Amino acid sequence: MLTIEELEAALPAMTRWRVPGRHSVDWALLEAALGTALPSDFRALAEAYPVLVIDDFLMVSSPAPGAEASWASASREDEILQDLYEMGDTEGYVPFPQPGGLIGWADSNSGDSFYWRTSSPDPDAWPVVVRTDNAEWYEFPVGAVEFLAGVYGGTIDVPGMPGNFPGDFPEVLGLSDRIDGT
């Protein structure tokens, strides 16, 4: 499993958003509301960074201290995934909390969705699943941090993504920048 520092090496523009110390996410509350533990690499990312928007394309959803229950609720009640499942458009993937169900951790402004497949009792063994805006599904045998490092380091290619993804010099913004427009 890759470390945050290895992700920062692949995506150095993110380091300016590192939180001094760490976020105090109440993991016990979040995981009780969600009904499962989360991968340790994602926990480390969420403690070190706010929600990140990479290259004005990919938004990594991190739970904020004090908003753990709402993050868990949004993850359990993924209406788009549920609708796709009910229409039979998930290629056998199922929504969480079904066994092996998908939990979202990122999305793009083009309609791509990034999930974990909860296929193992060990969350650190969950693979990343991507549903592109072209309704294509791809699975990668890595965690979220390794996936991001691979995509932005050029070692993981996600078929079906826009031709300019990832950009040559991806800019990273904190969510507040995107909202405030600064």
Side-chain angles (χ1 to χ4, degrees):
M1 182 161 292
L2 255 58
T3 66
I4 298 302
E5 290 75 20
E6 290 168 299
L7 173 57
E8 292 170 340
L11 191 59
M14 72 185 286
T15 58
R16 75 183 204 129
W17 297 105
R18 191 180 254 276
V19 175
R22 66 181 194 91
H23 278 135
S24 298
V25 176
D26 185 339
W27 293 106
L29 173 69
L30 186 147
E31 293 172 349
L34 184 58
T36 185
L38 291 174
S40 60
D41 66 331
F42 180 76
R43 289 170 58 137
L45 181 63
E47 289 174 353
Y49 285 95
V51 173
L52 296 174
V53 179
I54 306 169
D55 230 11
D56 198 29
F57 177 74
L58 178 68
M59 184 174 77
V60 179
S61 173
S62 297
E68 294 89 352
S70 63
W71 193 93
S73 176
S75 295
R76 285 184 67 89
E77 299 167 14
D78 185 331
E79 291 180 21
I80 293 172
L81 179 59
Q82 187 63 40
D83 289 347
L84 291 170
Y85 177 69
E86 290 170 6
M87 293 184 310
D89 191 20
T90 58
E91 293 190 15
Y93 292 107
V94 298
F96 186 81
Q98 293 184 52
L102 301 180
I103 297 174
W105 59 271
D107 57 14
S108 80
N109 65 11
S110 293
D112 309 289
S113 299
F114 301 80
Y115 303 98
W116 294 290
R117 182 169 56 87
T118 61
S119 53
S120 168
D122 177 8
D124 288 340
W126 294 349
V128 167
V129 174
V130 178
R131 181 190 185 274
T132 69
D133 69 334
N134 298 324
E136 299 167 320
W137 293 83
Y138 299 97
E139 188 166 319
F140 300 87
V142 297
V145 168
E146 187 171 349
F147 177 81
L148 292 170
V151 166
Y152 290 100
T155 60
I156 292 179
D157 178 51
V158 183
M161 289 287 147
N164 60 350
F165 171 76
D168 291 335
F169 303 101
E171 184 179 353
V172 179
L173 303 174
L175 182 60
S176 62
D177 267 10
R178 191 163 189 209
I179 291 170
D180 298 338
T182 58

